[in-house]
């Protein structure tokens, strides 16, 4: 498909930013096809069978030589990997190279969940992530991706940034991957060119300031604030550094770079200090347009530690107490590091270490999901939930049955599958040993419990 022309005002803006010679290279690059890349889930045992090349700034990201049909690969439905644009995987390098302390993190603009799954992987069992999305249908997609990723360390919320006001000084790291004018997507999504205008840049910049005005206050003393966009103009990028330093007291942070990556470091002088931004141009790096910057909050800022709530009361959530908790651990073969809650009679597990933080969050935010939903109990029997199947938690003593690729696709289509000699009761379905979901053998028939709203329709 021939690419549509670039908007005139955009051309002038880029010419000013890059100069004539580089602008020509840029124009050529955005008319070439983009490379498909994925990030592996290191907590699920899976290796790529497609030809691939490592993304230079990542340990888990790979460029694929060809774009396969992801929908028809059962491994993606098992959360074995996430399809993610290479530049944005740089956040993995940011976290590792700066050795950012783990703790409670917030991804304020999180759907569909690329960066949230990355943060969840970094935190592992040493932290808790709040993945928030303001737009309801997008929050649903975010929830699905978090469930597939399966680490059980994430709370999914559906709130406006304003609703976080009671959580000032609460987070060790806040990421704002801001809604932006999308200039960096002109190659991948040519429609973005038609939607671009200078007015829209203004609009985006004003919205970003409103979001950052909230986000800046949520970081605790010595915590980190990360801001990113997929656009090139200075208004939505370097100007945000100036804006934030006028509003709050933050220190600059410099990210170590390898010169061969061709990522451009830009400097912004503000508040008597030099701050840094990192720019990804498609004519210089193998990835889409991207901007990222990171600040460290001053040591004098406020820290909000959640207090023990003597009598935790919530309109829907019920806390599970010690005796029942120990029984659950024993029944499920869990290691005792979990805290349980029930919601509509279904059991959920989060890490015990984050109970107080979770209680506080639950009182202020609209929860879409949290930890791992295990399922319901009927006397001593469990009706296991799909979310448990996809999580990395042990699956009790449920028998497992491995499917071939074509059988797994039938299972994901929620079609009936015939399996001889299947034990009676709940059976965990796996593909390449990755759990995909549940079936129940009733003796005279087998029910497929794959969630109907998730089934593949190809
Ligand atoms: N971080 C995501 C990822 O890596 O998959 C992509 C986030 S996307 C660039 C920006 C998100 O901000 C969108 O999901 C959009 O719905 C959300 N958004 C739109 N308006 C917003 C607002 N006023 N406040 C917060 N988020 C907003």
């Amino acid at each position: 498909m021939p690419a549509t022309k670039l908007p005139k005002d955009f051309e002038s803006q880029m010419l000013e930013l890059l100069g004539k010679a580089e602008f020509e290279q840029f124009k050529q690059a955005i008319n070439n096809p983009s490379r498909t890349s994925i990030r592996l889930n290191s907590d699920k045992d899976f290796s790529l069978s497609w030809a691939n090349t490592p993304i230079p700034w990542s340990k888990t990201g790979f460029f694929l030589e060809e774009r396969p049909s992801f929908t028809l690969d059962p491994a993606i439905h098992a959360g074995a990997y996430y399809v993610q644009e290479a530049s944005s995987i740089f956040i993995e390098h940011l976290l590792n190279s700066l050795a950012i302390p783990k703790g409670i993190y917030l991804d304020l603009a999180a759907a569909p969940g690329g960066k949230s799954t990355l943060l969840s992987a970094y935190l592992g069992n040493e932290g808790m992530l709040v993945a928030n999305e303001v737009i309801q249908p997008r929050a649903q997609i975010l929830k699905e991706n978090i469930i597939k990723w399966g680490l059980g360390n994430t709370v999914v919320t559906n709130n406006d940034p304003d609703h976080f006001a009671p959580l000032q000084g609460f987070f060790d790291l806040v990421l704002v991957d801001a809604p932006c004018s999308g200039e960096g997507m002109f190659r991948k999504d040519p429609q973005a060119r038609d939607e671009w205008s200078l007015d829209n840049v203004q609009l985006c910049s004003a919205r970003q300031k409103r979001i950052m005005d909230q986000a800046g206050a949520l970081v605790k003393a010595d915590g980190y604030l990360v801001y990113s966009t997929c656009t090139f103009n200075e208004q939505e990028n370097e100007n945000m550094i100036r804006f934030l330093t006028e509003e709050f007291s933050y220190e600059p942070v410099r990210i170590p770079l390898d010169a061969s990556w061709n990522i451009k470091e830009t400097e912004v002088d503000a508040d008597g200090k030099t701050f840094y931004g990192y720019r990804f141009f498609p004519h210089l790096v193998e990835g889409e347009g991207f901007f990222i910057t990171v600040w460290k909050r001053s040591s004098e800022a406020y820290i909000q530690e959640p207090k023990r709530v003597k009598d935790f009361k919530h309109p829907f959530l019920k806390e599970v107490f010690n005796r029942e908790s120990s029984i659950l651990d024993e029944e499920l073969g869990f290691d005792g590091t979990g805290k349980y809650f029930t919601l509509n009679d279904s059991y959920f597990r989060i890490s015990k270490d984050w109970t107080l933080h979770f209680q506080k969050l639950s009182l202020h935010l609209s929860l879409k999901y949290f930890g791992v939903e295990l399922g319901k109990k009927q006397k001593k029997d469990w009706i296991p939930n799909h979310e448990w199947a996809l999580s990395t938690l042990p699956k009790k003593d449920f028998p497992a049955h491995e499917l071939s690729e074509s059988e797994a696709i039938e299972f994901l289509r929620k079609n009936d599958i015939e399996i001889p000699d299947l034990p009676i009761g709940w059976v965990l379905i796996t593909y390449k040993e990755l759990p995909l979901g549940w079936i129940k053998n009733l003796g005279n028939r087998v029910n497929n419990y794959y969630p109907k709203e998730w089934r593949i329709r190809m």
Side-chain angles (χ1 to χ4, degrees):
M1 188 177 66
T4 53
K5 276 180 69 111
L6 291 171
K8 273 268 156 296
D9 289 332
F10 173 73
E11 288 206 341
S12 322
Q13 174 194 289
M14 290 307 285
L15 202 58
E16 197 174 317
L17 191 69
L18 295 174
K20 197 164 180 328
E22 234 189 302
F23 180 50
E24 287 307 316
Q25 293 168 16
F26 169 85
K27 277 203 292 194
Q28 227 169 29
I30 62 168
N31 286 328
N32 291 334
S34 53
R35 281 184 87 176
T36 303
S37 50
I38 56 110
R39 187 168 42 78
L40 286 179
N41 186 341
S42 345
D43 292 284
K44 297 201 174 179
D45 194 9
F46 176 73
S47 41
L48 284 178
S49 54
W50 305 299
N52 62 76
T53 324
I55 294 173
W57 43 84
S58 165
K59 290 192 176 68
T60 55
F62 298 88
F63 292 112
L64 303 184
E65 299 312 317
E66 279 173 49
R67 189 180 175 92
S69 167
F70 289 117
T71 311
L72 293 179
D73 179 21
I76 199 169
H77 302 279
Y81 61 89
Y82 190 94
V83 182
Q84 190 167 23
E85 194 284 301
S87 305
S88 57
I89 300 178
F90 182 74
I91 295 183
E92 181 190 310
H93 171 71
L94 181 159
L95 295 165
N96 285 317
S97 64
L98 298 172
I100 305 251
K102 296 176 185 173
I104 179 145
Y105 286 13
L106 167 66
D107 183 354
L108 193 54
K115 298 181 189 67
S116 282
T117 52
L118 195 160
L119 294 173
S120 163
Y122 179 73
L123 290 172
N125 53 20
E126 292 170 61
M128 178 183 261
L129 169 69
V130 181
N132 177 68
E133 169 58 43
V134 65
I135 298 175
Q136 208 277 335
R138 289 179 62 80
Q140 185 59 30
I141 298 166
L142 171 66
K143 172 181 161 178
E144 274 184 37
N145 284 327
I146 293 297
I147 289 170
K148 286 182 186 162
W149 200 250
L151 303 201
N153 60 4
T154 304
V155 179
V156 179
T157 59
N158 177 207
N159 287 90
D160 189 277
D162 284 353
H163 301 167
F164 284 81
L167 298 165
Q168 300 200 354
F170 192 78
F171 295 98
D172 292 289
L173 178 140
V174 174
L175 165 67
V176 178
D177 184 32
C180 69
S181 60
E183 295 160 359
M185 291 292 133
F186 282 4
R187 169 163 65 180
K188 258 186 123 174
D189 174 14
Q191 202 191 330
R193 300 180 185 198
D194 300 333
E195 286 165 10
W196 187 92
S197 68
L198 279 178
D199 282 351
N200 193 37
V201 169
Q202 293 278 12
L203 217 92
C204 288
S205 157
R207 180 167 54 194
Q208 288 150 358
K209 284 180 182 160
R210 281 200 304 275
I211 298 173
M212 290 303 278
D213 213 16
Q214 293 293 339
L218 304 179
V219 179
K220 63 173 69 151
D222 295 320
Y224 291 82
L225 178 61
V226 183
Y227 172 82
S228 61
T229 69
C230 60
T231 211
F232 300 115
N233 68 76
E234 281 199 31
Q235 232 175 310
E236 296 179 69
N237 294 327
E238 282 82 357
N239 276 4
M240 185 53 73
I241 299 179
R242 296 185 185 100
F243 173 78
L244 190 95
T245 30
E246 276 164 24
E247 300 292 311
F248 300 96
S249 187
Y250 273 93
E251 298 301 319
V253 179
R254 196 168 186 189
I255 306 173
L257 291 182
D258 185 315
S260 68
W261 298 346
N262 272 342
I263 297 165
K264 270 198 176 174
E265 186 180 73
T266 61
E267 293 185 358
V268 174
D269 291 326
D271 199 20
K273 300 165 204 153
T274 303
F275 291 83
Y276 304 93
Y278 298 87
R279 283 179 164 277
F280 295 64
F281 288 107
H283 60 289
L284 297 177
V285 302
E286 288 219 71
E288 301 310 313
F290 187 60
F291 172 88
I292 191 161
T293 183
V294 51
W295 303 265
K296 188 171 186 193
R297 196 147 195 209
S298 95
S299 309
E300 281 88 57
Y302 173 61
I303 298 186
Q304 182 179 174
E305 283 300 344
K307 295 193 186 70
R308 187 168 295 282
V309 187
K310 209 162 167 243
D311 193 10
F312 173 70
K313 281 206 174 59
H314 187 279
F316 318 111
L317 276 180
K318 286 203 190 86
E319 201 173 349
V320 173
F321 291 102
N322 294 349
R323 222 175 72 82
E324 192 189 353
S325 214
S326 312
I327 296 171
L328 288 177
D329 280 335
E330 199 168 315
E331 261 183 38
L332 299 170
F334 291 174
D335 60 4
T337 57
K339 168 80 187 169
Y340 301 95
F341 289 85
T342 59
L343 181 69
N344 302 328
D345 297 328
S346 195
Y347 283 84
F348 287 72
R349 179 201 178 276
I350 62 162
S351 159
K352 229 179 218 169
D353 296 343
W354 299 98
T355 307
L356 299 185
H357 289 82
F358 173 68
Q359 286 178 339
K360 171 100 186 162
L361 295 167
S362 74
L363 295 173
H364 295 288
L365 301 173
S366 160
L367 298 183
K368 292 283 290 178
Y369 187 70
F370 60 96
V372 177
E373 182 170 7
L374 300 165
K376 291 188 176 159
K377 249 181 104 169
Q378 269 181 348
K379 299 197 178 121
K380 282 209 148 176
D381 290 332
W382 277 87
I383 306 172
N385 249 60
H386 186 64
E387 287 76 352
W388 184 9
L390 293 192
S391 82
T392 51
L393 287 173
K395 309 295 179 311
K396 204 175 168 251
D397 40 14
F398 291 110
H401 183 84
E402 174 76 8
L403 297 183
S404 67
E405 184 176 328
S406 57
E407 288 170 331
I409 291 170
E410 285 310 295
F411 172 73
L412 295 167
R413 287 187 172 128
K414 206 171 164 57
N415 289 340
D416 293 336
I417 39 175
E418 282 194 22
I419 308 170
D421 306 324
L422 201 64
I424 295 290
W426 291 100
V427 177
L428 182 70
I429 288 300
T430 61
Y431 167 73
K432 294 190 175 169
E433 295 184 20
L434 298 163
L436 273 186
W438 302 103
I439 57 172
K440 190 173 186 191
N441 181 11
L442 301 172
N444 53 352
R445 68 165 206 271
V446 173
N447 285 342
N448 179 341
Y449 276 82
Y450 198 70
K452 58 174 178 294
E453 59 284 6
W454 288 24
R455 70 170 184 247
I456 58 175
R457 289 160 201 277
M458 274 172 92

